Amino acid sequence: MGSKLLDVKQSAPSSRPRAARHRKAADLGVLPGLIGYQLRLAQRAIFADFADSVGEDGISPGLFGILVVIGENPGLTQQALANAAHLDRSTVVTVIDKLEERALVKRHAADRRSNGLFLADKGTALLRTLKRKVAQHERRVVRDLSERERMQLVSLLQRILPDRR
């Protein structure tokens, strides 16, 4: 590991007031060398770009994931969705309520105790549009990586604490 991993980028001198130019940047200590810190910075950048890409649709990365899972699994129960999305059941109920209010998702009784989830026509159309936007977003996220590096990054990330996922 080179020393670049530990370098902290500092602003170049500018036309800021003299007092501001002489302030030292905060020392980040060990943070730049920590995987969790770098993942958090990457996540913030990715989420900001996601919002720029699909923000006008009012869909977060989490809601996009929910729509994708429902679209790929018509009739999926809320409990199965909670398990797939790594969310508690009460959170899923709230999310589905919101998506149902927007006419994106429908519930149909699967049996006496559970509902099956389906995309409504509006949800199917929106998901189709979102998938195109998200594909463009993903290309931007990895534009400085080769295809091999992208696949390697995904593989490495999948190996981080797999038993806690």
Side-chain angles (χ1 to χ4, degrees):
M1 299 212 145
S3 64
K4 284 196 175 258
L5 185 60
L6 298 177
D7 288 347
V8 176
K9 186 175 181 178
Q10 294 182 350
S11 302
S14 68
S15 59
R16 293 179 299 173
R18 182 180 166 110
R21 282 197 312 254
H22 294 290
R23 286 190 199 131
K24 183 180 174 191
D27 184 343
L28 298 179
V30 300
L31 291 178
L34 297 177
I35 297 296
Y37 181 75
Q38 292 300 330
L39 284 172
R40 179 66 179 131
L41 294 179
Q43 180 193 35
R44 289 185 58 187
I46 291 168
F47 277 36
D49 189 81
F50 186 96
D52 291 346
S53 301
V54 302
E56 75 271 1
D57 296 310
I59 299 292
S60 66
L63 287 179
F64 174 72
I66 295 292
L67 289 173
V68 168
V69 172
I70 294 170
E72 294 294 324
N73 301 278
L76 188 71
T77 65
Q78 290 176 182
Q79 184 60 55
L81 176 61
N83 295 341
H86 305 282
L87 297 171
D88 60 77
R89 194 175 185 292
S90 62
T91 300
V92 167
V93 170
T94 302
V95 168
I96 297 303
D97 287 345
K98 290 177 183 177
L99 293 172
E100 204 171 34
E101 287 171 16
R102 292 179 60 184
L104 298 174
V105 169
K106 301 182 284 188
R107 289 179 175 119
H108 293 293
D111 58 40
R112 289 183 186 174
R113 298 184 321 156
S114 63
N115 290 310
L117 301 170
F118 299 85
L119 291 180
D121 291 342
K122 185 177 172 184
T124 300
L126 176 61
L127 185 56
R128 190 176 312 117
T129 300
L130 289 172
K131 283 181 177 179
R132 282 193 300 274
K133 291 178 178 182
V134 170
Q136 292 170 345
H137 156 74
E138 280 287 307
R139 284 191 292 276
R140 267 192 312 282
V141 166
V142 297
R143 70 178 167 230
D144 293 331
L145 301 177
S146 69
E147 180 59 21
R148 182 173 178 231
E149 289 170 326
R150 186 197 71 75
M151 290 173 18
Q152 182 180 23
L153 177 59
V154 169
S155 176
L156 290 170
L157 290 172
Q158 290 170 340
R159 291 172 46 195
I160 294 176
L161 299 174
D163 55 323
R164 309 256 342 227
R165 294 171 174 244

